[in-house]
Amino acid sequence: FAEVSEMKADKNAHVFNCAQRAHFNMLEHLPPVLVSLLWCGLQYPRTAAGLGFLWVFSRVLYTRGYITGEPKRRYDGATHHVAEYGLYLLGLWSSWELFNGKW
């Protein structure tokens, strides 16, 4: 990360910090999303693919907004939360169906 003094002196240092934060944020969310995508795809492949596409597309919008350095632009791709939680709920539903012998 760039130091505060560097960010005050150079706008590119602030943009670099924003890009790093967006990247780390994506890395934090990626493992549970991939596991949910795999699990949901076993029972509901089309729905899982649609939610996966929405998540990736929204993450691109989120990252592009985040690296502008303007706090309000971070919400450009906030729909990735909808896709992410949709995958989690669909994964829970798939688990419930497996538990009840409906697979």
Side-chain angles (χ1 to χ4, degrees), residues 37 40-54 87 90:
L37 190 62
C40 295
L42 294 173
Q43 185 70 3
Y44 300 102
R46 290 187 180 136
T47 307
L51 288 170
F53 174 78
L54 178 63
L87 283 169
L90 188 60

Side-chain angles (χ1 to χ4, degrees), residues 21-34 36-37 47-66 71-89:
R21 279 191 225 115
H23 178 67
F24 287 147
N25 186 272
M26 196 264 318
L27 291 177
E28 290 172 358
H29 288 259
L30 191 59
V33 166
L34 289 179
S36 299
L37 190 62
T47 307
L51 288 170
F53 174 78
L54 178 63
W55 188 82
V56 169
F57 182 73
S58 299
R59 289 304 300 195
V60 169
L61 292 178
Y62 173 81
T63 302
R64 289 178 59 128
Y66 203 109
K72 290 185 179 183
R73 293 290 311 271
R74 295 178 191 172
Y75 299 111
D76 288 354
T79 52
H80 72 273
H81 290 298
V82 173
E84 191 170 334
Y85 295 135
L87 283 169
Y88 296 160
L89 291 173

Side-chain angles (χ1 to χ4, degrees), residues 83-98:
E84 191 170 334
Y85 295 135
L87 283 169
Y88 296 160
L89 291 173
L90 188 60
L92 287 172
W93 181 252
S94 296
S95 299
W96 179 254
E97 286 186 335
L98 178 65

